[in-house]
Amino acid sequence: MVKTIFEKSVAGRKRTDIACFDGLEVVSPEAPPELRREAPLPLPEVAEVDVVRHYVGLSQKTFGIDSGFYPLGSCTMKYNPKVNEEICAQPEWACLHPEQPVETAQGALRLMYELQEALGEISGMKAVSLQPAAGAHGELTGMLMFRAYFRARGEARPVMIVPDSSHGTNPASATIGGFEVAHLESDERGMVTLDALKALCAKHGESNIGGIMMTNPNTLGVFEQEVREIADYLHSIGALLYYDGANLNANLGYVRPGDMGFDLVHFNLHKTFSTPHGGGGPGSGPVGVCGRLAPFLPYPLVAKDGEGYRFAKPEETIGRMKLYYGNFLVMVRALVYIRTLGREGLKRVAENAVLNANYIQERLKDAYDIPYYQRCMHEFVLSADRQKKMGARALDIAKKLLNDGYHAPTIYFPLIVTEAMMIEPTETESVETLDAFCDTMLRYAKEIGEDAEKFKELPNLYIQHLDEVGAARNPVVRWIPGE
Ligand SMILES: Cc1ncc(COP(=O)(O)O)c(C=O)c1O
């Protein structure tokens, strides 16, 4: 068991104070008396070397995209080029202050302007705001803009339709944004159909429908075939279409939400466009909109005036969604990534993301059930139902992968697949990596068939089987002395 730094504490142990060196006195800076506390602070007492080893040890127990294959469906854990990190760490970007006069930050404004333009082009949208700080924040921004749009037209339209395959943040954002959520069932192909949509709209009353939130390809990795008809119908009844573009890997350079008929899209720069994520670091969830929604975008946008750049405020803006201008360094990485790859490079991202997912799907399709089997896009969902009947669930397979040095796929999502394992390899993996993963999964299927209990042993994991429900419902995230 790994001890906390407090459990390693030994009374009286501390770092070495260097008081003087060869006649040269070194003065330790001390906090001013008014900021000092009298009572001893409950800090761990450990030697410097133990502090270093403690945290280096912890860092080595974690799993990241730089340490191994990470097929976490819907999360797009792709390798992010290190040169982009170096570029965004340059002081010209990293040391900018958000309050400095715009005349002194024209390069930064230009970068933001060019990213707005590039994302508009990639998505087929008229205008883009870089403000939102993450995907779900972009969704909320979108919902508030839909509401502002309807309010300006004197309409209420309280119902937002969300397909049953949608990401969990979609119904949450619609609800927080003030809509009532109506769930739309997918058919046996894992797609939403115009007929099912019309029936749901009729049930709620067409004039009450605010819109739909869709992902395409959806979270089953399936491309929605009737998307154009769905868009035409919803527009004909006065509703709007929201595109969850958290993951644009399958679309880049091939298909644009604007061309599919969507009115608003959010992007996760931290999935598709080169910002490492998964560790809680800053993300960015810009939104792009069609012309009629542009007046409602959050401010400030960046506008170009002749050769210069300035911040601009749309006429009917919903206001600010974030302090200052969004997470700037994520924008730097995104624009560098887009510029480095260029139009053709972005298309290759989509091609390889789709190819890699299909490759794994083909290799695993006989050993595992694939309920919505068809040519997939950037990801696919298999079911470990057959394995569950033999005694090992999707959770056990996921743990076994961790035990063997892989990050696990997303499990138990989407909810419409029992014992779901959602696999997204991304475009940055080699065929050798994909083969090694497939070989491992095929070996698991065999081992489960032979002896499921033995399969569940996890000799290499520091933590074996957690009380996951307990950890989620009663998380203890703070160490309190004596407890
Ligand atoms: C399809 C989809 N939509 C929305 C989100 C929400 O993005 P974020 O985690 O940045 O809020 C995610 C990310 O998990 C996602 O995969």
Side-chain angles (χ1 to χ4, degrees), residues 71-92:
L72 190 68
S74 198
C75 290
T76 318
M77 300 300 290
K78 61 166 85 174
Y79 174 76
N80 302 294
K82 294 289 171 270
V83 65
N84 298 358
E85 294 302 315
E86 274 181 39
I87 292 172
C88 82
Q90 285 175 6
E92 289 82 354

Side-chain angles (χ1 to χ4, degrees), residues 6 42 476 478-483:
F6 290 96
V476 180
R478 201 156 69 104
W479 186 87
I480 299 168
E483 279 193 9

Side-chain angles (χ1 to χ4, degrees), residues 185-242:
E185 273 185 37
S186 316
D187 70 0
E188 64 294 342
R189 300 166 303 163
M191 296 178 198
V192 291
T193 63
L194 184 58
D195 288 346
L197 174 67
K198 280 186 170 171
L200 191 64
C201 292
K203 183 175 151 205
H204 290 274
E206 287 183 338
S207 60
N208 286 323
I209 306 296
I212 193 168
M213 295 183 87
M214 274 176 84
T215 310
N216 196 22
N218 64 28
T219 60
L220 291 163
V222 173
F223 195 86
E224 299 283 359
Q225 299 291 327
E226 293 184 35
V227 64
R228 274 276 11 159
E229 291 77 6
I230 286 172
D232 290 344
Y233 163 67
L234 285 172
H235 286 150
S236 78
I237 63 166
L240 296 170
L241 286 92
Y242 183 99

Side-chain angles (χ1 to χ4, degrees), residues 118-309:
L119 292 176
E121 172 69 21
I122 285 169
S123 60
M125 291 289 164
K126 195 95 186 146
V128 171
S129 161
L130 303 172
Q131 273 236 321
H137 198 208
E139 292 171 28
L140 178 62
T141 305
M143 290 299 101
L144 296 178
M145 288 178 66
F146 277 15
R147 285 197 14 152
Y149 170 80
F150 290 129
R151 203 177 303 122
R153 295 164 62 90
E155 295 181 281
R157 295 196 173 257
V159 179
M160 187 57 54
I161 295 173
V162 180
D164 56 7
S165 64
S166 75
H167 194 258
T169 48
N170 293 181
S173 302
T175 306
I176 297 172
F179 289 97
E180 174 196 327
V181 171
H183 288 283
L184 178 61
E185 273 185 37
S186 316
D187 70 0
E188 64 294 342
R189 300 166 303 163
M191 296 178 198
V192 291
T193 63
L194 184 58
D195 288 346
L197 174 67
K198 280 186 170 171
L200 191 64
C201 292
K203 183 175 151 205
H204 290 274
E206 287 183 338
S207 60
N208 286 323
I209 306 296
I212 193 168
M213 295 183 87
M214 274 176 84
T215 310
N216 196 22
N218 64 28
T219 60
L220 291 163
V222 173
F223 195 86
E224 299 283 359
Q225 299 291 327
E226 293 184 35
V227 64
R228 274 276 11 159
E229 291 77 6
I230 286 172
D232 290 344
Y233 163 67
L234 285 172
H235 286 150
S236 78
I237 63 166
L240 296 170
L241 286 92
Y242 183 99
Y243 184 90
D244 177 341
N247 185 336
L248 280 182
N249 252 22
N251 302 25
L252 290 173
Y254 276 93
V255 56
R256 309 191 307 168
D259 299 336
M260 290 188 244
F262 287 90
D263 301 291
L264 195 153
V265 52
H266 90 258
F267 313 79
N268 276 26
L269 298 188
H270 49 292
K271 289 186 196 290
T272 313
F273 298 102
S274 183
T275 280
H277 70 294
S284 176
V287 292
V289 293
C290 64
R292 62 189 164 141
L293 289 176
F296 301 95
L297 277 168
Y299 77 94
L301 305 176
V302 180
K304 190 171 182 200
D305 264 344
E307 287 307 299
Y309 299 87

Side-chain angles (χ1 to χ4, degrees), residues 466-477:
L466 284 174
D467 171 6
E468 316 223 343
V469 177
R473 295 240 165 104
N474 306 304
V476 180
V477 292

